[in-house]
Amino acid sequence: MSQPVLDVRDLIVEYKTPKGPARAVNEVSFSLRAGERFGLVGESGSGKSTTVLALMRMLRGGRIAAGEIRLNGVDLAQISEPAMRRVRFAEMSLVPQGAMSSLNPVLRIGDQMADIFEDHGVRRSAVEREGRIERLLEQVGLPGTVRWRFPHELSGGMKQRVCIAMSIALRPSLILADEPTSALDVVVQKQVLGTLSRVQRELGAAIILIGHDMALMAHFVSRIGVMYAGRLVETGPVRKVFAAPRHPYTKMLIEALPSFEKTAAFKGIPGVGPSLLDPLPGCPFHNRCPMAIERCRTDPPAFRTGSEDHHAACHRTEELADA
Amino acid sequence: MYADYVARRFGIMLLVIFLAVTINFVIPRLAPGDPIEAQLNQLIASGGGAAGDVQAMAASYRARFGLDQPLWHQYLAYWNSVLRFDLGFSLANYPERVSQAILAGLPWTLGLLGFATLVSFTLGTLLGGIVAWPRTPRFLRAAGSSLLVFSSIPYFLIGMILLYLFAIVWRVFPAGGGIPFGTTVGLNWSTVSGLAWHGTLPAISIVIAEIGAWALGMRGMLVSVLGEDYITLAEAKGLQNRRIFVWYGMRNAMLPQFTKLALTLGHIVSGAILVEVIFSYPGIGFRLYQAIQTNDYFVIQGIVLLLTISIAVAMFILDLIYPLIDPRIDGRGR
Ligand SMILES: Nc1ncnc2c1ncn2[C@@H]1O[C@H](COP(=O)(O)OP(=O)(O)OP(=O)(O)O)[C@@H](O)[C@H]1O
Ligand SMILES: [Mg+2]
């Protein structure tokens, strides 16, 4: 098998807080093959955005305390800041969450796209560059003339398309998309996600998509990772995870999804996640888990390999699979 | 679209000027007592001469100035003279016209304050940007921040200290005036060096006093701009730091600074009365100060009118250039 595009090993990220370091990401490991679509889900505050920011090395107020981030074989946790700057967008790009406010209000769209080429040393003639920008815009379903416009003249969906066009400008091998459509209405969300999916396929880049909407996610990604309290608690092919979750938290997330058959009262997950400053001993989920046993309170579960690429960090995963 | 916008702004400017002239006409007429009689009495008292018939003299003056006409007639006449820049006579230096007094002082004030304001705007804005930029070396930020304390010292205090040290103790610079006595004014070296020699202390005291305010404004704006999503995306794009600082940070944080600059330039006439007084600089502020001291009624009125109009004009010019620096203002994109 070929080398993975991205290989994250035992990543630990800590934020500096007045009460001491808060571990927002704790020993997270996963890897992505070329062109693979990986979805990251989990409740608010579980560390999804922090993981993505750590990959970009753009943590504010936080640091990578340990771990490896190998992108195409190079450990990003070790390289210098200037080298990291050259990696951004060239090898790994980002589709931001706040499309409405992610474009510079005083520069024309074309100029905000051209500076990516300029600062990454792509020397082209002005005419060639204009043509390239026009094609990028057309690729995401926008007219080429959008390059003359200012951000305030575009709708939210158009702005997000511009951001998608930017993210593929330098043909990266990995795209990070942190809730790229959460600021848009449902219809536009589907269209924009469709566009992102199409250009990602055309480019052959791998993608990490963060989202809250498990159902939308299931359509888009092939593999899914579930985060809880800074830990990756389950990963696997999206179909298998939905059909037979191997972690009680995942199971509860799926059961919490609204559906037409279940008209019963919406079931949330009772309780709140543990404090990051003062982590629970044992399994971080034991205080909310209906299946917790004595061992869960003391002994942190390791990530265990189930069948084919489907893993979970739970002492009772077999019983769950049997149930 | 731009033409519409300009027409609208121009209309607003005309309205402001119209109101300013009207108020300038009405206010003195609302004042209790008769200014002419008061002035005459004062003249007679200070002249020490025979009192004579003040009433009769006042009546003849009133007829001469048209003050015996109906009010609307006076109002039209007032407009007529304002449009011809005829603002009456100085009462203190009688044959001098108010328009002459203004024209004599204006170039000095515009030169000194215009120059000092632009210098402090430029330096202060840059300083604020450098202090707020997280990648600025630590010692530079510390040094820059310490300059900000000057913003809390009033400029007349700085002016007096500079005057005392450099003009009185060390005698490096002159203590007053705008140009050495007897210079033949023209485009020659002695004019330029003379202006610079006399202008240095007042200009420096303004720059030192104002730089901190510009820097503080810029620092605050840049800090908030740096928290914007477009800065995060600019960094994610792997842009050079210099480009993020200039085109994503400063370029956006500058916008309110321009508004402040236009306002400051509009207030130039009254802006540094104290500096002109301290350095006996022959500008319009100094003239206003003298006029207030001598109750030189028409001069005060003329300068105040000029002040209002210059603010209206400065705001109009700002409105003209603002769409060029902030495309959101009128949607003038292609
Ligand atoms: N700058 C910061 N300083 C301190 N703590 C932070 C900071 N940013 C995030 N955190 C904490 O880190 C944890 C993970 O946050 P993160 O934003 O990664 O969550 P998330 O999974 O993306 O949540 P959401 O779904 O709401 O976007 C949270 O508990 C959050 O409070
Ligand atoms: Mg998030």
Side-chain angles (χ1 to χ4, degrees):
Chain A
M1 237 191 94
S2 65
Q3 177 199 36
V5 174
L6 177 72
D7 192 23
V8 177
R9 281 297 131 219
D10 301 318
L11 180 66
I12 297 179
V13 178
E14 289 178 347
Y15 283 112
K16 217 190 287 170
T17 72
K19 292 188 212 122
R23 280 208 173 173
V25 172
N26 202 348
E27 291 174 19
V28 163
S29 305
F30 60 93
S31 65
L32 263 70
R33 291 184 303 273
E36 187 172 345
R37 300 148 166 256
F38 184 64
L40 214 46
V41 296
E43 67 191 0
S44 205
S46 56
K48 308 180 297 290
S49 300
T50 304
T51 305
V52 158
L53 287 174
L55 299 189
M56 290 295 277
R57 278 203 12 203
M58 283 175 46
L59 292 162
R60 293 210 173 149
R63 64 186 191 100
I64 298 173
E68 286 177 16
I69 303 168
R70 292 199 176 275
L71 182 69
N72 298 315
V74 177
D75 186 1
L76 300 184
Q78 303 300 332
I79 64 179
S80 69
E81 181 52 36
M84 188 62 215
R85 181 185 75 72
R86 288 188 293 272
V87 167
R88 295 191 185 118
F89 262 52
E91 290 182 56
M92 172 169 59
S93 67
L94 177 81
V95 180
Q97 172 172 20
M100 304 305 265
S101 49
S102 286
L103 298 172
N104 186 344
V106 298
L107 295 185
R108 291 179 199 278
I109 301 298
D111 294 335
Q112 303 192 45
M113 299 180 72
D115 59 18
I116 303 176
F117 295 115
E118 279 168 33
D119 282 7
H120 284 278
V122 182
R123 295 269 161 248
R124 283 203 181 93
S125 73
V127 181
E128 261 181 313
R129 187 172 290 162
E130 286 286 286
R132 179 93 181 91
I133 288 171
E134 201 172 339
R135 263 176 286 122
L136 279 170
L137 289 170
E138 281 161 4
Q139 238 176 310
V140 296
L142 292 172
T145 51
V146 161
R147 69 184 189 280
W148 300 115
R149 306 208 156 269
F150 287 104
H152 72 274
E153 299 171 306
L154 308 182
S155 72
M158 291 168 87
K159 283 187 220 178
Q160 193 55 290
R161 284 169 195 274
V162 168
C163 290
I164 293 173
M166 287 178 173
S167 75
I168 55 170
L170 299 177
R171 310 187 64 82
S173 46
L174 174 63
I175 300 173
L176 308 174
D178 186 354
E179 305 189 45
T181 58
S182 61
L184 309 173
D185 75 63
V186 183
V187 176
V188 181
Q189 262 186 15
K190 289 238 162 78
Q191 294 170 348
V192 170
L193 217 49
T195 303
L196 179 60
S197 151
R198 182 169 47 73
V199 297
Q200 173 259 343
R201 242 186 255 274
E202 284 165 6
L203 186 61
I207 187 167
I208 298 180
L209 179 73
I210 291 180
H212 280 285
D213 188 339
M214 293 267 285
L216 200 64
M217 193 73 95
H219 285 289
F220 187 82
V221 300
S222 54
R223 214 149 58 82
I224 201 163
V226 179
M227 285 193 77
Y228 182 79
R231 289 177 183 270
L232 197 59
V233 293
E234 177 162 359
T235 65
V238 77
R239 252 179 261 273
K240 290 199 171 183
V241 172
F242 267 78
R246 297 184 135 261
H247 194 285
Y249 177 64
T250 316
K251 187 162 184 253
M252 292 170 85
L253 270 185
I254 294 168
E255 280 167 2
L257 284 179
S259 76
F260 287 112
E261 292 92 66
K262 288 186 293 183
T263 41
F266 175 73
K267 235 170 68 188
I269 300 178
V272 290
S275 153
L276 300 175
L277 286 164
D278 182 21
L280 292 175
C283 171
F285 191 54
H286 77 242
N287 61 339
R288 297 166 77 186
C289 181
M291 296 174 65
I293 51 174
E294 201 44 49
R295 188 179 167 203
C296 301
R297 285 176 230 288
T298 51
D299 186 7
F303 220 62
R304 287 195 288 162
T305 310
S307 58
E308 279 181 66
D309 219 18
H310 187 179
H311 319 293
C314 175
H315 293 306
R316 304 188 64 189
T317 179
E318 283 80 17
E319 290 149 74
L320 199 64
D322 298 339
Chain B
M1 216 176 343
Y2 189 58
D4 266 10
Y5 168 85
V6 171
R8 225 170 31 240
R9 294 291 143 172
F10 191 70
I12 292 175
M13 179 186 73
L14 289 185
L15 184 69
V16 170
I17 291 178
F18 170 79
L19 289 176
V21 170
T22 304
I23 290 171
N24 219 26
F25 169 81
V26 170
I27 295 257
R29 283 164 179 79
L30 289 181
D34 185 332
I36 300 240
E37 266 180 46
Q39 197 72 45
L40 281 174
N41 278 325
Q42 201 188 349
L43 274 178
I44 288 158
S46 64
D53 192 349
V54 172
Q55 302 277 313
M57 267 174 80
S60 85
Y61 267 108
R62 248 180 243 122
R64 208 169 113 205
F65 291 123
L67 293 176
D68 52 352
Q69 304 278 324
L71 213 55
W72 64 270
H73 205 278
Q74 288 182 37
Y75 181 60
L76 289 184
Y78 182 69
W79 262 109
N80 186 26
S81 48
V82 164
L83 289 178
R84 285 185 291 111
F85 194 46
D86 173 6
L87 302 170
F89 291 91
S90 159
L91 294 171
N93 305 337
Y94 171 61
E96 191 192 27
R97 291 182 157 272
V98 173
S99 51
Q100 286 171 330
I102 288 178
L103 285 182
L106 199 57
W108 294 102
T109 297
L110 289 185
L112 173 65
L113 272 110
F115 177 76
T117 304
L118 289 178
V119 168
S120 38
F121 168 79
T122 311
L123 294 181
T125 300
L126 259 176
L127 178 69
I130 289 170
V131 171
W133 182 241
R135 291 195 181 85
T136 302
R138 189 173 295 231
F139 72 95
L140 252 182
R141 289 174 76 177
S145 300
S146 60
L147 283 179
L148 298 186
V149 300
F150 286 117
S151 68
S152 53
I153 308 178
Y155 61 80
F156 56 86
L157 199 60
I158 296 178
M160 280 174 357
I161 294 171
L162 290 181
L163 185 71
Y164 175 73
L165 289 180
F166 290 93
I168 294 170
V169 178
W170 294 317
R171 295 172 182 274
V172 190
F173 289 107
I179 198 158
F181 190 71
T183 310
T184 38
V185 177
L187 263 183
N188 52 41
W189 171 244
S190 64
T191 305
V192 173
S193 64
L195 285 174
W197 193 46
H198 279 258
T200 301
L201 284 186
I204 287 183
S205 60
I206 297 171
V207 169
I208 290 181
E210 302 269 281
I211 209 170
W214 291 112
L216 279 178
M218 187 62 190
R219 185 180 67 173
M221 264 322 283
L222 188 58
V223 164
S224 88
V225 162
L226 291 180
E228 295 282 343
D229 290 340
Y230 52 79
I231 298 288
T232 309
L233 185 63
E235 200 185 328
K237 288 199 299 191
L239 300 184
Q240 314 256 21
N241 282 330
R242 199 165 358 106
R243 188 190 298 274
I244 301 178
F245 178 65
V246 175
W247 290 102
Y248 287 73
M250 293 289 271
R251 179 68 178 75
N252 280 290
M254 285 286 281
L255 300 176
Q257 295 282 101
F258 280 112
T259 307
K260 259 192 269 174
L261 178 64
L263 275 173
T264 312
L265 289 176
H267 278 104
I268 246 181
V269 173
S270 64
I273 295 179
L274 283 173
V275 161
E276 290 190 357
V277 170
I278 291 169
F279 292 98
S280 337
Y281 203 76
I284 221 161
F286 188 40
R287 194 58 219 262
L288 181 60
Y289 169 76
Q290 289 176 322
I292 292 170
Q293 279 198 320
T294 55
N295 277 325
D296 199 342
Y297 197 71
F298 291 117
V299 172
I300 300 176
Q301 206 183 9
I303 293 180
V304 168
L305 183 65
L306 176 80
L307 171 64
T308 341
I309 291 177
S310 63
I311 292 173
V313 172
M315 291 318 287
F316 174 63
I317 292 173
L318 173 73
D319 284 337
L320 283 193
I321 57 171
Y322 213 87
L324 306 179
I325 56 177
D326 186 350
R328 283 165 297 187
I329 290 304
D330 75 338
R332 211 169 67 89
R334 263 174 280 176

